[in-house]
Amino acid sequence: MVGMTTKDIAKEIERRVATRLGEEMQTKIFGDSKAPSKPEKLSLWVKEAMDRMDALVDYETRSSIMRECGANCANINKRVVEAAKKRRAKHRTNEEFIEAEMAKPQKGTRLEKSGDTLILTYTPREWSRPMRCYCGLMRGFPSDSLCSSTYCHCGVGFVKMWWEEVLGKPIEVELLESAISGSNECRFHIAY
């Protein structure tokens, strides 16, 4: 991730939890230990934190926190968004842009359209170096482990910010499947 280390990403999630729920809850969710450096240990630390957040925090609040983290990630990785906006500018309409993206999807993705909705699929297991998740926090996630889809609402926030910036209008995104929670791919429903 450009501009942020995995430790920075972990700290950002902890900071957002503390801001929304208080420092006591942040400690209950993340414990007293700092995020580990080694990829597998870090991903398991995140998984355990998500399990505790699921047990302690209602669905809407925890998914909202993670969506905020994803929007922040999209802001930090502005060059990815700006590259997409440049591709969009080559087309007269959003529909033409979407057709072009479907014909030649970005590496590691697939895009399908039905009416005014899209299905965006991330394919991290098909990457040149197969992985469970594109996020640096979960790249070391063991193949025999599962993580709560709560974490994947970060991806929802990223996808929402990306598409809103590129299409220039509000959209809605729903997580359909997640590679770290049992699927082979991550799938997002996008209503625009």
Side-chain angles (χ1 to χ4, degrees):
M1 178 168 285
V2 177
M4 283 185 90
T5 67
T6 53
K7 288 230 181 205
D8 292 335
I9 298 166
K11 285 179 188 173
E12 179 63 16
I13 296 170
E14 287 186 85
R15 184 189 71 72
R16 287 184 185 272
V17 167
T19 299
R20 292 279 297 276
L21 305 174
E23 289 185 21
E24 182 179 331
M25 186 63 82
Q26 183 256 340
T27 300
K28 286 180 181 179
I29 292 169
F30 293 96
D32 292 326
S33 64
K34 301 276 186 219
S37 297
K38 295 189 178 186
E40 184 172 329
K41 288 184 178 188
L42 176 61
S43 65
L44 292 172
W45 180 84
V46 170
K47 177 222 179 311
E48 291 167 5
M50 293 301 112
D51 288 346
R52 288 188 291 272
M53 188 157 37
D54 284 354
L56 297 169
V57 181
D58 67 275
Y59 173 81
E60 189 51 47
T61 302
R62 66 183 186 256
S63 60
S64 174
I65 289 168
M66 295 309 295
R67 285 190 308 269
E68 289 172 9
C69 291
N72 182 61
C73 184
N75 280 324
I76 289 167
N77 290 288
K78 210 56 165 168
R79 66 182 177 82
V80 175
V81 175
E82 293 302 320
K85 287 168 78 173
K86 284 181 184 177
R87 291 194 311 276
R88 166 59 186 94
K90 294 177 185 177
H91 303 280
R92 288 181 301 130
T93 66
N94 283 339
E95 295 304 316
E96 287 179 7
F97 168 72
I98 290 167
E99 293 295 327
E101 291 290 296
M102 288 174 30
K104 188 176 179 187
Q106 296 302 295
K107 184 177 180 183
T109 70
R110 188 171 63 249
L111 188 62
E112 301 163 55
K113 183 175 184 284
S114 176
D116 286 348
T117 64
L118 301 171
I119 300 295
L120 173 64
T121 304
Y122 287 171
T123 57
R125 292 176 192 246
E126 296 174 13
W127 196 253
S128 52
R129 185 180 59 87
M131 60 187 84
R132 296 286 301 280
C133 183
Y134 290 140
C135 178
L137 287 180
M138 299 305 280
R139 286 206 180 127
F141 198 55
S143 61
D144 62 344
S145 295
L146 296 177
C147 184
S148 166
S149 62
T150 293
Y151 184 76
C152 303
H153 285 273
C154 185
V156 170
F158 186 94
V159 169
K160 181 174 173 59
M161 176 70 75
W162 191 97
W163 281 93
E164 285 184 343
E165 288 279 321
V166 173
L167 297 182
K169 65 184 211 172
I171 65 157
E172 293 301 319
V173 178
E174 176 187 358
L175 176 68
L176 300 175
E177 295 180 47
S178 159
I180 61 172
S181 62
S183 180
N184 283 324
E185 304 172 323
C186 302
R187 296 180 68 229
F188 303 90
H189 179 268
I190 302 169
Y192 66 101

